[in-house]
Amino acid sequence: MLESFYQYWGKCQQGDQSDNYHLLAYHNLDVAACGYHIVKNNYFNSAELFEQIGFSSDETETAALWFAYFLAWHDIGKFANGFQQLFKHNNPHLVAPDPAKSYLTRHDSLGHWLWKNYLIQESEIQLEHYNYNIDQIYNIWLLIMTGHHGKPPILDAKGNLAFNSQDKQASLDYIKAINKLFIVDNRLAGYHTSFFDKKFRKILSKLSWLIAAITVISDWLGSNEHFFPFCSKSMELSEYWANYALANAEKAVATLPKRSSITPFNGIKNLFPFIEKPTPLQQKALSCPLTDNGPELFIMEDVTGAGKTEASMILAHRLMAAGKAHGIYIGMPTQATANGIYQRTAQIYGQLYQADSHPSLVLAHGASYMNPTFTQTIINLDNISQQKYLNNDNSASSECNEWFVDTRKKSLLAEVGVGTLDQALMAVMPFKHQSLRLLGSVINYLF
Protein backbone atom coordinates (compact mmCIF):
# COMPACT_ATOMS: atom_id res chain seq x y z
CA MET A 1 0.00 0.00 0.00
CA LEU A 2 1.53 3.30 -1.09
CA GLU A 3 -0.98 5.73 0.40
CA SER A 4 0.82 8.29 2.51
CA PHE A 5 -1.47 7.99 5.54
CA TYR A 6 -0.18 4.48 6.28
CA GLN A 7 2.99 6.15 7.59
CA TYR A 8 1.18 7.59 10.64
CA TRP A 9 0.48 5.85 13.93
CA GLY A 10 -2.57 6.53 16.08
CA LYS A 11 -1.84 4.42 19.15
CA CYS A 12 1.52 3.12 20.32
CA GLN A 13 3.35 1.39 23.15
CA GLN A 14 6.75 2.85 23.93
CA GLY A 15 9.49 0.23 24.21
CA ASP A 16 12.17 -1.63 22.34
CA GLN A 17 9.91 -2.74 19.50
CA SER A 18 9.47 -0.26 16.65
CA ASP A 19 6.38 -2.05 15.32
CA ASN A 20 4.32 -1.82 18.50
CA TYR A 21 1.82 0.66 17.12
CA HIS A 22 -1.67 0.93 15.66
CA LEU A 23 -2.11 2.83 12.41
CA LEU A 24 -3.93 6.15 12.75
CA ALA A 25 -6.38 5.33 9.98
CA TYR A 26 -7.34 2.10 11.75
CA HIS A 27 -7.82 3.78 15.12
CA ASN A 28 -10.12 6.35 13.52
CA LEU A 29 -12.15 3.52 12.01
CA ASP A 30 -12.26 1.68 15.36
CA VAL A 31 -13.90 4.70 16.98
CA ALA A 32 -16.15 5.19 13.96
CA ALA A 33 -17.33 1.58 14.20
CA CYS A 34 -18.15 2.01 17.90
CA GLY A 35 -20.25 5.06 17.10
CA TYR A 36 -21.94 3.15 14.30
CA HIS A 37 -23.01 0.32 16.63
CA ILE A 38 -24.07 2.75 19.37
CA VAL A 39 -26.49 4.52 17.02
CA LYS A 40 -27.55 1.35 15.21
CA ASN A 41 -28.58 -0.19 18.55
CA ASN A 42 -29.92 3.06 20.01
CA TYR A 43 -27.63 3.11 23.03
CA PHE A 44 -28.14 6.28 25.10
CA ASN A 45 -31.16 7.14 22.91
CA SER A 46 -28.69 8.02 20.15
CA ALA A 47 -30.89 6.86 17.28
CA GLU A 48 -33.70 9.01 18.66
CA LEU A 49 -31.34 12.00 18.67
CA PHE A 50 -30.75 11.52 14.96
CA GLU A 51 -34.51 11.28 14.45
CA GLN A 52 -34.80 14.73 16.04
CA ILE A 53 -32.16 15.98 13.63
CA GLY A 54 -34.16 14.75 10.66
CA PHE A 55 -33.46 11.07 10.03
CA SER A 56 -36.65 9.04 10.04
CA SER A 57 -37.07 5.94 12.18
CA ASP A 58 -36.31 3.69 9.20
CA GLU A 59 -33.07 5.57 8.42
CA THR A 60 -31.14 4.37 11.46
CA GLU A 61 -28.54 2.67 9.27
CA THR A 62 -27.99 5.89 7.34
CA ALA A 63 -27.72 7.94 10.53
CA ALA A 64 -25.25 5.43 11.99
CA LEU A 65 -23.07 5.59 8.88
CA TRP A 66 -23.07 9.40 8.82
CA PHE A 67 -22.03 9.45 12.48
CA ALA A 68 -19.33 6.89 11.74
CA TYR A 69 -18.08 8.98 8.83
CA PHE A 70 -17.54 12.06 10.97
CA LEU A 71 -16.03 9.98 13.79
CA ALA A 72 -13.45 8.83 11.26
CA TRP A 73 -12.26 12.47 11.28
CA HIS A 74 -11.86 12.69 15.05
CA ASP A 75 -8.07 12.22 15.34
CA ILE A 76 -6.91 13.96 12.17
CA GLY A 77 -4.78 16.20 14.40
CA LYS A 78 -2.47 13.21 14.92
CA PHE A 79 -1.22 13.63 11.37
CA ALA A 80 0.93 16.43 12.77
CA ASN A 81 4.63 15.54 12.65
CA GLY A 82 4.96 17.22 16.02
CA PHE A 83 2.57 14.65 17.46
CA GLN A 84 4.15 11.74 15.58
CA GLN A 85 7.46 12.48 17.31
CA LEU A 86 5.95 11.31 20.62
CA PHE A 87 6.63 7.71 19.53
CA LYS A 88 10.37 7.08 19.64
CA HIS A 89 11.22 4.49 17.00
CA ASN A 90 13.52 3.53 14.14
CA ASN A 91 10.80 2.14 11.92
CA PRO A 92 11.28 3.11 8.24
CA HIS A 93 7.60 2.50 7.55
CA LEU A 94 6.61 5.46 9.73
CA VAL A 95 7.06 9.14 8.94
CA ALA A 96 10.46 10.49 9.94
CA PRO A 97 10.61 13.18 12.63
CA ASP A 98 10.85 16.74 11.35
CA PRO A 99 13.10 18.78 13.68
CA ALA A 100 11.42 21.97 12.51
CA LYS A 101 8.07 20.83 13.97
CA SER A 102 6.94 20.60 17.59
CA TYR A 103 3.95 19.48 19.62
CA LEU A 104 2.73 22.47 21.63
CA THR A 105 -1.05 22.08 21.18
CA ARG A 106 -3.11 18.94 21.84
CA HIS A 107 -3.93 16.80 18.83
CA ASP A 108 -7.68 17.39 19.17
CA SER A 109 -7.27 21.15 18.71
CA LEU A 110 -4.73 20.54 15.95
CA GLY A 111 -7.39 18.54 14.13
CA HIS A 112 -9.76 21.50 14.13
CA TRP A 113 -6.94 23.77 12.94
CA LEU A 114 -6.17 21.35 10.10
CA TRP A 115 -9.78 21.45 8.96
CA LYS A 116 -10.19 25.22 9.13
CA ASN A 117 -6.79 26.14 7.68
CA TYR A 118 -6.19 23.45 5.10
CA LEU A 119 -8.71 20.70 4.41
CA ILE A 120 -11.71 23.00 4.01
CA GLN A 121 -9.96 24.64 1.06
CA GLU A 122 -9.19 21.40 -0.78
CA SER A 123 -11.71 20.81 -3.57
CA GLU A 124 -10.61 17.16 -3.82
CA ILE A 125 -12.55 16.22 -0.68
CA GLN A 126 -15.61 18.35 -1.30
CA LEU A 127 -18.86 16.54 -1.89
CA GLU A 128 -20.76 16.74 -5.16
CA HIS A 129 -22.61 20.06 -5.48
CA TYR A 130 -20.54 21.45 -2.59
CA ASN A 131 -21.98 24.69 -1.22
CA TYR A 132 -22.03 27.01 1.78
CA ASN A 133 -24.55 24.88 3.71
CA ILE A 134 -22.35 21.80 3.45
CA ASP A 135 -19.40 23.86 4.63
CA GLN A 136 -21.33 25.05 7.69
CA ILE A 137 -22.51 21.54 8.56
CA TYR A 138 -18.94 20.29 8.46
CA ASN A 139 -17.91 23.16 10.73
CA ILE A 140 -20.34 21.95 13.38
CA TRP A 141 -19.41 18.29 13.03
CA LEU A 142 -15.67 19.02 13.19
CA LEU A 143 -16.13 21.02 16.40
CA ILE A 144 -17.90 18.02 17.88
CA MET A 145 -15.38 15.48 16.61
CA THR A 146 -12.31 17.42 17.72
CA GLY A 147 -13.92 17.85 21.13
CA HIS A 148 -13.74 14.09 21.72
CA HIS A 149 -11.66 14.46 24.91
CA GLY A 150 -14.47 16.21 26.77
CA LYS A 151 -13.71 19.84 26.03
CA PRO A 152 -13.91 22.08 22.96
CA PRO A 153 -10.91 22.56 20.70
CA ILE A 154 -8.71 25.61 21.08
CA LEU A 155 -9.65 27.77 18.13
CA ASP A 156 -6.35 29.66 17.91
CA ALA A 157 -4.08 26.60 17.85
CA LYS A 158 -0.63 27.11 16.30
CA GLY A 159 -0.94 24.40 13.70
CA ASN A 160 1.86 25.64 11.49
CA LEU A 161 4.30 24.69 14.24
CA ALA A 162 3.09 21.07 14.17
CA PHE A 163 2.25 20.21 10.54
CA ASN A 164 4.52 20.13 7.52
CA SER A 165 3.48 19.77 3.87
CA GLN A 166 3.84 15.98 3.98
CA ASP A 167 1.47 15.76 6.95
CA LYS A 168 -1.14 17.90 5.21
CA GLN A 169 -0.97 15.79 2.07
CA ALA A 170 -1.32 12.60 4.12
CA SER A 171 -4.41 14.00 5.87
CA LEU A 172 -5.89 14.95 2.50
CA ASP A 173 -5.24 11.47 1.13
CA TYR A 174 -6.87 9.98 4.21
CA ILE A 175 -10.02 12.11 3.97
CA LYS A 176 -10.32 11.22 0.28
CA ALA A 177 -10.12 7.54 1.29
CA ILE A 178 -12.84 7.76 3.95
CA ASN A 179 -15.01 9.80 1.57
CA LYS A 180 -14.82 6.86 -0.79
CA LEU A 181 -15.43 4.32 1.98
CA PHE A 182 -18.44 6.01 3.55
CA ILE A 183 -19.96 8.44 1.06
CA VAL A 184 -19.20 6.86 -2.31
CA ASP A 185 -19.26 3.15 -1.48
CA ASN A 186 -22.25 3.53 0.84
CA ARG A 187 -23.89 6.21 -1.36
CA LEU A 188 -24.60 8.34 1.69
CA ALA A 189 -24.70 11.65 -0.17
CA GLY A 190 -27.89 10.62 -1.96
CA TYR A 191 -29.62 9.07 1.06
CA HIS A 192 -30.74 12.16 2.91
CA THR A 193 -31.62 15.17 0.79
CA SER A 194 -32.15 17.56 3.74
CA PHE A 195 -28.92 16.66 5.54
CA PHE A 196 -27.23 19.94 4.63
CA ASP A 197 -30.04 22.48 4.68
CA LYS A 198 -30.38 25.40 7.08
CA LYS A 199 -33.10 23.77 9.20
CA PHE A 200 -30.95 20.68 9.69
CA ARG A 201 -28.01 22.86 10.71
CA LYS A 202 -30.08 24.66 13.35
CA ILE A 203 -31.31 21.43 14.93
CA LEU A 204 -27.84 19.90 14.80
CA SER A 205 -26.41 22.90 16.64
CA LYS A 206 -29.07 22.56 19.32
CA LEU A 207 -28.43 18.84 19.88
CA SER A 208 -24.68 18.93 19.29
CA TRP A 209 -23.77 18.72 22.99
CA LEU A 210 -25.56 15.37 23.23
CA ILE A 211 -23.89 14.08 20.07
CA ALA A 212 -20.59 15.26 21.54
CA ALA A 213 -21.28 13.09 24.57
CA ILE A 214 -21.76 10.01 22.38
CA THR A 215 -18.57 10.97 20.56
CA VAL A 216 -16.67 10.86 23.86
CA ILE A 217 -18.08 7.41 24.64
CA SER A 218 -17.22 6.16 21.15
CA ASP A 219 -13.63 7.29 21.62
CA TRP A 220 -13.44 5.62 25.06
CA LEU A 221 -14.56 2.33 23.58
CA GLY A 222 -12.52 2.56 20.40
CA SER A 223 -9.33 3.22 22.36
CA ASN A 224 -9.57 -0.03 24.32
CA GLU A 225 -6.66 -2.26 23.27
CA HIS A 226 -8.46 -5.32 24.63
CA PHE A 227 -11.01 -5.05 21.85
CA PHE A 228 -8.84 -3.33 19.25
CA PRO A 229 -5.39 -4.93 19.15
CA PHE A 230 -2.64 -2.97 17.44
CA CYS A 231 -2.37 -3.46 13.70
CA SER A 232 0.45 -2.05 11.57
CA LYS A 233 -0.18 -4.14 8.47
CA SER A 234 -1.34 -2.08 5.49
CA MET A 235 -4.65 -3.05 3.94
CA GLU A 236 -7.50 -1.32 2.15
CA LEU A 237 -9.62 0.72 4.56
CA SER A 238 -12.70 -1.10 3.30
CA GLU A 239 -11.11 -4.41 4.34
CA TYR A 240 -10.17 -3.15 7.79
CA TRP A 241 -13.62 -1.61 8.28
CA ALA A 242 -15.52 -4.74 7.31
CA ASN A 243 -13.29 -7.42 8.82
CA TYR A 244 -11.82 -5.77 11.90
CA ALA A 245 -13.35 -2.46 12.99
CA LEU A 246 -17.02 -3.44 12.80
CA ALA A 247 -16.56 -6.88 14.36
CA ASN A 248 -14.37 -5.64 17.21
CA ALA A 249 -16.61 -2.65 17.87
CA GLU A 250 -19.68 -4.87 18.13
CA LYS A 251 -17.98 -6.72 21.00
CA ALA A 252 -16.83 -3.49 22.65
CA VAL A 253 -20.25 -1.83 22.48
CA ALA A 254 -21.89 -4.99 23.84
CA THR A 255 -20.07 -4.36 27.14
CA LEU A 256 -22.03 -1.16 27.72
CA PRO A 257 -24.53 -1.49 30.57
CA LYS A 258 -28.03 -2.27 29.40
CA ARG A 259 -30.74 0.30 29.87
CA SER A 260 -33.11 -0.50 32.72
CA SER A 261 -36.88 -0.43 32.26
CA ILE A 262 -38.84 2.07 34.34
CA THR A 263 -41.72 0.80 36.41
CA PRO A 264 -45.06 2.65 36.11
CA PHE A 265 -45.85 5.13 38.86
CA ASN A 266 -48.56 3.56 41.03
CA GLY A 267 -48.73 5.95 43.91
CA ILE A 268 -46.71 6.71 46.99
CA LYS A 269 -46.95 3.25 48.59
CA ASN A 270 -44.74 1.67 45.95
CA LEU A 271 -41.83 3.93 46.94
CA PHE A 272 -42.60 4.58 50.58
CA PRO A 273 -44.88 1.96 52.10
CA PHE A 274 -44.30 3.43 55.56
CA ILE A 275 -46.09 6.69 54.67
CA GLU A 276 -49.69 6.43 55.87
CA LYS A 277 -50.69 10.01 55.06
CA PRO A 278 -48.70 12.24 52.67
CA THR A 279 -47.61 15.64 53.91
CA PRO A 280 -48.98 18.67 52.02
CA LEU A 281 -45.74 18.89 50.03
CA GLN A 282 -45.84 15.21 49.17
CA GLN A 283 -49.49 15.53 48.15
CA LYS A 284 -48.52 18.40 45.87
CA ALA A 285 -45.80 16.24 44.29
CA LEU A 286 -48.44 13.57 43.67
CA SER A 287 -50.96 15.89 42.04
CA CYS A 288 -49.11 18.76 40.30
CA PRO A 289 -49.65 18.68 36.51
CA LEU A 290 -46.89 17.72 34.07
CA THR A 291 -46.60 19.30 30.64
CA ASP A 292 -47.12 17.18 27.55
CA ASN A 293 -43.69 18.05 26.16
CA GLY A 294 -40.70 20.24 26.84
CA PRO A 295 -38.53 20.65 29.94
CA GLU A 296 -39.86 20.93 33.48
CA LEU A 297 -38.65 22.97 36.44
CA PHE A 298 -39.98 22.39 39.97
CA ILE A 299 -38.80 24.23 43.08
CA MET A 300 -39.69 22.72 46.45
CA GLU A 301 -39.33 24.59 49.70
CA ASP A 302 -40.71 23.64 53.10
CA VAL A 303 -39.84 23.34 56.78
CA THR A 304 -37.68 20.58 58.27
CA GLY A 305 -39.62 17.34 58.53
CA ALA A 306 -41.97 18.17 55.66
CA GLY A 307 -40.76 15.16 53.68
CA LYS A 308 -38.90 17.01 50.92
CA THR A 309 -36.72 14.04 50.00
CA GLU A 310 -39.70 11.75 49.58
CA ALA A 311 -41.63 14.44 47.68
CA SER A 312 -38.78 14.97 45.24
CA MET A 313 -38.48 11.22 44.62
CA ILE A 314 -42.22 10.98 44.00
CA LEU A 315 -42.03 13.75 41.43
CA ALA A 316 -38.93 12.25 39.83
CA HIS A 317 -40.67 8.89 39.44
CA ARG A 318 -43.68 10.56 37.86
CA LEU A 319 -41.42 12.34 35.37
CA MET A 320 -39.59 9.12 34.54
CA ALA A 321 -42.83 7.18 34.09
CA ALA A 322 -44.06 9.93 31.76
CA GLY A 323 -41.00 9.42 29.56
CA LYS A 324 -39.39 12.75 30.47
CA ALA A 325 -36.28 11.24 32.03
CA HIS A 326 -34.64 7.93 32.64
CA GLY A 327 -32.44 8.74 35.59
CA ILE A 328 -31.77 11.06 38.50
CA TYR A 329 -28.82 12.97 39.83
CA ILE A 330 -29.07 14.30 43.38
CA GLY A 331 -26.59 17.11 44.02
CA MET A 332 -25.67 17.92 47.62
CA PRO A 333 -23.50 20.74 49.02
CA THR A 334 -20.90 18.53 50.76
CA GLN A 335 -19.48 15.02 50.61
CA ALA A 336 -20.93 14.27 54.04
CA THR A 337 -24.46 15.22 53.02
CA ALA A 338 -24.03 13.29 49.78
CA ASN A 339 -23.00 10.20 51.73
CA GLY A 340 -26.09 10.56 53.87
CA ILE A 341 -28.55 10.90 51.00
CA TYR A 342 -26.79 8.06 49.18
CA GLN A 343 -27.71 5.71 52.03
CA ARG A 344 -31.34 6.73 51.80
CA THR A 345 -31.46 6.56 48.02
CA ALA A 346 -29.96 3.05 48.03
CA GLN A 347 -33.01 1.80 49.90
CA ILE A 348 -35.59 2.97 47.35
CA TYR A 349 -34.04 3.67 43.93
CA GLY A 350 -34.64 0.10 42.73
CA GLN A 351 -38.39 0.70 42.98
CA LEU A 352 -38.11 3.16 40.09
CA TYR A 353 -37.23 0.33 37.70
CA GLN A 354 -38.65 -3.04 36.73
CA ALA A 355 -37.78 -5.95 39.03
CA ASP A 356 -35.64 -7.71 36.41
CA SER A 357 -33.54 -4.59 35.73
CA HIS A 358 -30.15 -3.76 37.18
CA PRO A 359 -29.96 0.04 37.40
CA SER A 360 -26.70 1.47 38.68
CA LEU A 361 -26.49 3.83 41.64
CA VAL A 362 -23.22 5.75 41.80
CA LEU A 363 -21.76 7.93 44.54
CA ALA A 364 -20.04 10.76 42.68
CA HIS A 365 -17.52 12.83 44.60
CA GLY A 366 -13.77 12.90 45.11
CA ALA A 367 -13.81 10.58 48.13
CA SER A 368 -16.43 8.07 46.99
CA TYR A 369 -13.93 5.19 47.15
CA MET A 370 -13.50 5.86 50.87
CA ASN A 371 -17.16 4.97 51.38
CA PRO A 372 -17.25 1.18 52.00
CA THR A 373 -21.01 1.03 51.51
CA PHE A 374 -20.57 2.28 47.95
CA THR A 375 -17.49 0.25 47.04
CA GLN A 376 -19.20 -2.98 48.13
CA THR A 377 -21.90 -2.42 45.50
CA ILE A 378 -19.54 -2.22 42.50
CA ILE A 379 -20.08 -5.35 40.45
CA ASN A 380 -19.38 -6.86 37.07
CA LEU A 381 -22.77 -7.50 35.52
CA ASP A 382 -21.29 -10.25 33.35
CA ASN A 383 -21.30 -12.29 36.55
CA ILE A 384 -24.58 -11.00 37.93
CA SER A 385 -25.98 -14.52 38.28
CA GLN A 386 -23.21 -15.26 40.76
CA GLN A 387 -23.98 -12.20 42.87
CA LYS A 388 -26.20 -12.63 45.90
CA TYR A 389 -28.06 -9.62 47.21
CA LEU A 390 -30.35 -9.61 50.21
CA ASN A 391 -33.24 -7.22 49.86
CA ASN A 392 -33.24 -6.53 53.59
CA ASP A 393 -29.53 -5.64 53.62
CA ASN A 394 -29.27 -1.98 52.68
CA SER A 395 -25.53 -2.11 52.09
CA ALA A 396 -25.93 -4.84 49.50
CA SER A 397 -29.31 -4.07 47.95
CA SER A 398 -27.89 -1.42 45.59
CA GLU A 399 -25.74 -2.09 42.54
CA CYS A 400 -23.23 -0.15 40.48
CA ASN A 401 -21.84 -1.57 37.27
CA GLU A 402 -18.06 -1.30 37.34
CA TRP A 403 -18.14 0.31 33.87
CA PHE A 404 -19.38 3.54 35.45
CA VAL A 405 -16.55 3.84 37.96
CA ASP A 406 -13.41 2.74 36.11
CA THR A 407 -12.89 6.43 35.37
CA ARG A 408 -14.47 9.45 37.04
CA LYS A 409 -15.48 10.77 33.62
CA LYS A 410 -18.10 8.00 33.37
CA SER A 411 -19.51 8.22 36.87
CA LEU A 412 -22.45 10.46 36.10
CA LEU A 413 -23.57 8.29 33.22
CA ALA A 414 -25.17 5.95 35.74
CA GLU A 415 -28.95 5.92 35.84
CA VAL A 416 -29.09 7.18 39.41
CA GLY A 417 -26.35 9.32 40.90
CA VAL A 418 -25.80 10.97 44.25
CA GLY A 419 -22.93 13.38 44.73
CA THR A 420 -21.81 16.93 45.22
CA LEU A 421 -23.07 19.86 43.21
CA ASP A 422 -19.63 20.66 41.82
CA GLN A 423 -19.51 17.30 40.01
CA ALA A 424 -22.53 18.32 37.94
CA LEU A 425 -21.46 21.92 37.44
CA MET A 426 -17.96 21.03 36.27
CA ALA A 427 -19.31 18.50 33.81
CA VAL A 428 -20.93 20.96 31.42
CA MET A 429 -18.47 23.03 29.39
CA PRO A 430 -19.48 25.65 26.80
CA PHE A 431 -18.17 25.79 23.28
CA LYS A 432 -17.04 29.23 22.17
CA HIS A 433 -18.59 28.90 18.72
CA GLN A 434 -21.88 27.86 17.15
CA SER A 435 -23.50 27.80 20.63
CA LEU A 436 -22.45 24.18 21.02
CA ARG A 437 -22.40 22.53 24.42
CA LEU A 438 -20.12 19.62 25.18
CA LEU A 439 -21.02 17.26 27.98
CA GLY A 440 -17.78 16.15 29.57
CA SER A 441 -19.20 13.62 31.99
CA VAL A 442 -22.84 14.34 32.82
CA ILE A 443 -24.88 12.53 30.20
CA ASN A 444 -27.85 11.51 32.33
CA TYR A 445 -30.19 13.14 29.82
CA LEU A 446 -29.23 10.49 27.31
CA PHE A 447 -30.73 7.81 29.49
Side-chain angles (χ1 to χ4, degrees):
M1 306 296 291
L2 300 177
E3 287 88 341
S4 58
F5 54 82
Y6 288 98
Q7 295 179 280
Y8 292 77
W9 61 271
K11 295 287 182 181
C12 71
Q13 184 67 49
Q14 300 284 3
D16 297 332
Q17 294 179 316
S18 296
D19 62 348
N20 197 9
Y21 63 90
H22 193 45
L23 286 175
L24 174 55
Y26 299 164
H27 168 65
N28 282 339
L29 292 183
D30 293 340
V31 174
C34 287
Y36 169 85
H37 283 297
I38 287 174
V39 175
K40 185 72 184 243
N41 295 284
N42 196 27
Y43 279 93
F44 312 117
N45 289 352
S46 53
E48 295 170 24
L49 284 179
F50 279 88
E51 286 184 31
Q52 293 182 55
I53 292 174
F55 292 89
S56 65
S57 58
D58 59 353
E59 292 181 304
T60 303
E61 171 75 11
T62 305
L65 283 170
W66 271 117
F67 186 46
Y69 167 68
F70 285 111
L71 280 171
W73 287 68
H74 85 282
D75 260 351
I76 57 173
K78 290 183 177 181
F79 279 108
N81 194 284
F83 175 86
Q84 291 293 307
Q85 294 177 39
L86 297 179
F87 181 32
K88 308 302 180 184
H89 64 85
N90 296 309
N91 194 319
H93 298 293
L94 293 176
V95 64
D98 183 347
K101 299 304 173 182
S102 57
Y103 185 56
L104 302 177
T105 307
R106 282 178 58 98
H107 69 271
D108 42 3
S109 294
L110 288 176
H112 186 264
W113 181 93
L114 183 64
W115 157 249
K116 293 295 292 182
N117 292 274
Y118 175 67
L119 291 173
I120 195 174
Q121 304 165 10
E122 299 302 312
S123 60
E124 294 175 85
I125 67 168
Q126 294 177 353
L127 303 180
E128 186 178 1
H129 309 304
Y130 196 85
N131 57 41
Y132 173 80
N133 286 331
I134 294 177
D135 184 64
Q136 293 303 302
I137 287 291
Y138 270 57
N139 281 338
I140 298 174
W141 277 109
L142 266 295
L143 277 171
I144 297 172
M145 294 302 113
T146 56
H148 62 270
H149 282 298
K151 60 182 179 181
I154 299 172
L155 300 185
D156 58 350
K158 303 297 188 294
N160 282 324
L161 299 176
F163 292 94
N164 60 27
S165 58
Q166 180 183 359
D167 304 332
K168 293 177 181 178
Q169 183 61 49
S171 70
L172 176 59
D173 292 341
Y174 168 72
I175 297 301
K176 288 163 59 178
I178 65 168
N179 277 358
K180 181 179 185 302
L181 173 63
F182 287 100
I183 296 178
V184 177
D185 291 353
N186 288 287
R187 296 179 291 124
L188 280 179
Y191 263 69
H192 204 272
T193 56
S194 63
F195 187 79
F196 298 109
D197 64 21
K198 186 176 181 180
K199 180 180 178 181
F200 178 95
R201 185 167 73 246
K202 183 177 181 181
I203 299 174
L204 176 62
S205 294
K206 180 180 178 181
L207 297 177
S208 58
W209 63 287
L210 294 172
I211 298 174
I214 304 171
T215 299
V216 173
I217 297 173
S218 300
D219 186 52
W220 284 340
L221 292 171
S223 298
N224 189 327
E225 295 176 25
H226 173 74
F227 294 106
F228 302 96
F230 286 0
C231 179
S232 56
K233 176 186 176 182
S234 298
M235 68 184 80
E236 292 287 352
L237 294 190
S238 57
E239 179 183 353
Y240 184 84
W241 172 255
N243 298 333
Y244 296 91
L246 283 174
N248 292 336
E250 185 174 16
K251 297 175 184 177
V253 171
T255 65
L256 289 170
K258 305 300 182 184
R259 176 172 172 168
S260 300
S261 300
I262 298 170
T263 187
F265 180 75
N266 293 320
I268 195 172
K269 287 292 184 180
N270 184 51
L271 288 175
F272 306 105
F274 58 87
I275 296 179
E276 295 295 334
K277 182 179 180 181
T279 66
L281 181 63
Q282 293 166 356
Q283 187 59 52
K284 186 67 176 179
L286 286 165
S287 59
C288 65
L290 305 179
T291 61
D292 293 333
N293 51 56
E296 305 268 12
L297 174 63
F298 297 93
I299 299 175
M300 294 183 176
E301 184 178 6
D302 210 329
V303 298
T304 301
K308 294 186 290 293
T309 300
E310 291 79 6
S312 63
M313 194 64 70
I314 291 168
L315 192 52
H317 193 186
R318 289 185 61 203
L319 290 166
M320 293 167 63
K324 292 178 171 289
H326 198 82
I328 305 169
Y329 181 75
I330 304 173
M332 303 300 291
T334 66
Q335 293 181 3
T337 53
N339 288 341
I341 202 69
Y342 168 81
Q343 298 275 22
R344 297 178 64 183
T345 305
Q347 300 174 32
I348 60 170
Y349 86 105
Q351 302 302 319
L352 303 172
Y353 299 92
Q354 298 285 359
D356 58 348
S357 298
H358 297 281
S360 287
L361 169 65
V362 67
L363 179 61
H365 60 64
S368 61
Y369 268 94
M370 297 178 65
N371 186 314
T373 305
F374 170 60
T375 57
Q376 290 171 15
T377 70
I378 300 173
I379 60 172
N380 184 333
L381 286 190
D382 290 337
N383 300 318
I384 189 66
S385 61
Q386 301 176 19
Q387 305 290 340
K388 301 297 182 182
Y389 295 103
L390 303 177
N391 292 331
N392 60 353
D393 183 350
N394 293 333
S395 66
S397 61
S398 56
E399 303 172 0
C400 184
N401 190 315
E402 64 179 359
W403 188 86
F404 293 114
V405 293
D406 66 357
T407 170
R408 287 180 63 187
K409 291 182 179 180
K410 297 179 183 176
S411 61
L412 298 188
L413 286 166
E415 286 155 309
V416 181
V418 178
T420 49
L421 284 170
D422 64 294
Q423 296 294 312
L425 295 175
M426 289 189 298
V428 182
M429 305 175 65
F431 271 107
K432 299 179 181 178
H433 186 58
Q434 293 285 358
S435 299
L436 297 179
R437 293 293 181 268
L438 176 63
L439 206 57
S441 60
V442 180
I443 320 178
N444 272 339
Y445 178 82
L446 293 173
F447 289 89

